[in-house]
Amino acid sequence: MSSNYSIDTICQISDKEIADQWGALSFPIYQSATFAHRGLGGSTGFDYTRVQNPTRQQLEFVVASLEHGTDAIAFSSGMSAITTLMELFSPGDHIIVDSDLYGGSVRLFDVINKKNGLEFTTAELYKGGYEALFKENTKAVYLETPTNPMMNVTDIEKLAGEVHKRGALLIVDNTFLSPYFQNPIPLGADIVIHSGTKFLGGHHDTVGGFLVVKDKELSEKLRFIYKTTGAGLSPFDSWLILRGIRTLSVRMERAQQNAIALSEYLRSNKYVTKVLYPGLKDHPGYEISNRQARGYGAMLTFEVKSTEIAQKLLGEVELIYFAESLGGTETLITYPITQTHADVPKDILELNGINDRVLRVSVGIEGIDDLIADFEQAFERAAR
Ligand SMILES: *Cc1c(COP(=O)(O)O)cnc(C)c1O
């Protein structure tokens, strides 16, 4: 198989040899825990599904190709991917993390990893000023860009230069833009994370996660931890994400088109005080986005006039769902302060401007006129 294919084509590739001797177009679900040997030393290449499974391997091949990595490892959730990744580090290691991150990642670092002896420094990485953050024992820098939910954009290439000068690893959670719009590895990242639950799966029907690595040595270390701790993605869920990826490019294009239109609509709405979307020309990250990504994605955040409007809006939307998560074909609205960011410390919330008037939208692929009409009616009722 060629890795020179375009992104749209990579989403369709299938290993025909493993797929099926009968020519099945849909990659089979190898629902088997174990695999028989043909004799002593005669493994088929698959021994036990915790270690590897043909369906999962096919998915990993596609995701590694999409992210330009040497290897991708599929996990039972985004959080199990990040938890396994953190096992690379030892007590006393120091990690610099962005201040605006997925709430579950903050909880993992604060409650589990700190207890196990890791040390963290939190910083607003999009602002630069990296010099002061590094210490003797700094082993990695960890970020999301654009951030969740405040949409801050960090220059990955510039940061990678600073991180590598000091021999540390650059880790980028690329869930928000998906590999369709952004590839951190060619920009200098060593490890890319995905919650496969989001745009890769794309249908709000399964939970999964990925670590994609630039070099082979790191992949071997992570594969060892992976087979030892056992958080691999099941064959059926691997198949669901493979199937989701087949339409990644058309979903991303359409969702982005809707997000651009919705960001403009919200900006003109009298109850809205702020719209954060990197595709808006006056967004501070607009220029960097144009340089390092192929699009702005389908996530946007906005702030309304009052807490009351924000909270009532959640109950008044009809077509749009009030739900956590993101990246599916349906549009979701969420309230970060009580939902995705409920466990983020108060000072960090304040620093990032996440208050009780902030709402986040994962824009789906419905008709844009219907989405705008739903917001119109919801705002009118919420403001009553
Ligand atoms: C959802 C999410 C995660 C966690 O992934 P799960 O699949 O829910 O475990 C991590 N990072 C980001 C940016 C996410 O949106």
Side-chain angles (χ1 to χ4, degrees):
M1 275 181 286
S2 165
S3 53
N4 293 325
Y5 285 137
S6 70
I7 300 174
D8 312 72
T9 307
I10 292 172
C11 293
Q12 315 309 324
I13 57 177
S14 186
D15 186 328
K16 293 199 175 72
E17 251 174 63
I18 293 188
D20 179 59
Q21 54 180 317
W22 317 113
L25 289 194
S26 169
F27 199 93
I29 303 167
Y30 284 90
Q31 192 65 43
S32 186
T34 189
F35 297 83
H37 305 287
R38 292 180 176 133
L40 187 62
S43 166
T44 60
F46 298 96
D47 304 315
Y48 190 59
T49 283
R50 170 155 39 76
V51 182
Q52 193 50 298
N53 172 282
T55 314
R56 192 201 294 145
Q57 179 176 278
Q58 169 63 23
L59 171 64
E60 291 176 344
F61 176 76
V62 172
V63 173
S65 305
L66 287 173
E67 280 291 12
H68 305 273
T70 59
D71 191 18
I73 310 174
F75 291 84
S76 58
S77 70
M79 286 321 301
S80 64
I82 303 169
T83 303
T84 304
L85 165 68
M86 297 314 281
E87 292 296 332
L88 272 183
F89 304 104
S90 305
D93 285 352
H94 172 243
I95 300 170
I96 300 165
V97 298
D98 197 272
S99 58
D100 192 23
L101 289 179
Y102 177 69
S105 307
V106 175
R107 184 172 56 217
L108 172 71
F109 301 154
D110 273 358
V111 181
I112 313 262
N113 297 143
K114 269 187 195 162
K115 166 181 69 94
N116 293 340
L118 300 190
E119 198 190 316
F120 293 89
T121 296
T122 299
E124 292 176 284
L125 293 172
Y126 74 101
K127 287 187 174 164
Y130 305 130
E131 204 66 37
L133 303 172
F134 285 88
K135 305 207 285 189
E136 281 287 294
N137 54 342
T138 303
K139 293 291 159 63
V141 175
Y142 183 109
L143 76 153
E144 297 170 18
T145 177
T147 62
N148 178 6
M150 300 315 278
M151 304 292 158
N152 299 317
V153 179
T154 300
D155 188 330
I156 299 172
E157 200 165 14
K158 195 168 146 203
L159 178 59
E162 297 293 322
V163 173
H164 292 151
K165 248 198 293 190
R166 294 160 176 95
L169 294 173
L170 181 62
I171 302 164
V172 181
D173 181 335
N174 201 30
T175 299
F176 258 37
L177 283 185
S178 90
Y180 183 71
F181 284 131
Q182 179 169 275
N183 295 127
I185 288 177
L187 295 166
D190 299 284
I191 300 170
V192 167
I193 297 165
H194 279 286
S195 167
T197 315
K198 316 295 168 59
F199 291 103
L200 288 171
H203 295 78
H204 296 136
D205 57 8
T206 188
V207 175
F210 297 91
L211 293 179
V212 190
V213 288
K214 183 163 93 178
D215 75 54
K216 204 156 177 310
E217 199 189 320
L218 210 48
S219 141
E220 279 164 12
K221 277 189 196 161
L222 286 165
R223 286 253 173 223
F224 179 81
I225 304 169
Y226 180 74
K227 79 169 179 193
T228 305
T229 54
L233 190 63
S234 78
F236 182 61
D237 290 307
S238 298
W239 183 85
L240 278 172
I241 298 182
L242 263 178
R243 180 184 161 100
I245 289 175
R246 291 202 165 214
T247 54
L248 179 70
S249 47
V250 285
R251 284 187 286 107
M252 294 309 295
E253 286 293 346
R254 176 52 183 275
Q256 171 172 261
Q257 200 183 323
N258 280 353
I260 291 170
L262 202 57
S263 67
E264 279 157 10
Y265 156 74
L266 287 169
R267 250 233 288 227
S268 69
N269 185 299
K270 63 176 188 257
Y271 303 112
V272 175
T273 47
K274 203 193 285 178
V275 180
L276 302 171
Y277 180 63
L280 291 168
K281 288 196 177 62
D282 53 6
H283 186 280
Y286 181 73
E287 296 296 328
I288 304 171
S289 294
N290 285 339
R291 254 186 287 131
Q292 72 184 12
R294 293 176 291 271
Y296 314 105
M299 298 301 300
L300 63 88
T301 297
F302 65 99
E303 189 188 86
V304 294
K305 273 189 171 156
S306 72
T307 308
E308 200 193 350
I309 292 178
Q311 296 186 348
K312 277 167 84 179
L313 200 65
L314 297 166
E316 298 295 357
V317 283
E318 285 174 351
L319 172 66
I320 298 164
Y321 293 90
F322 167 30
E324 276 183 72
S325 200
L326 60 112
T329 53
E330 310 92 344
T331 299
L332 310 184
I333 189 165
T334 190
Y335 196 41
I337 199 142
T338 64
Q339 298 230 290
T340 54
H341 287 60
D343 288 342
V344 176
K346 213 168 176 311
D347 54 325
I348 298 281
L349 291 175
E350 271 169 24
L351 175 76
N352 292 329
I354 304 171
N355 57 45
D356 56 8
R357 289 176 291 121
V358 168
L359 295 156
R360 189 193 77 185
V361 184
S362 168
V363 185
I365 63 170
E366 303 93 333
I368 185 63
D369 293 343
D370 298 326
L371 289 177
I372 291 175
D374 196 26
F375 267 117
E376 277 289 282
Q377 67 81 23
F379 270 116
E380 285 317 315
R381 291 200 300 195
R384 237 180 249 159

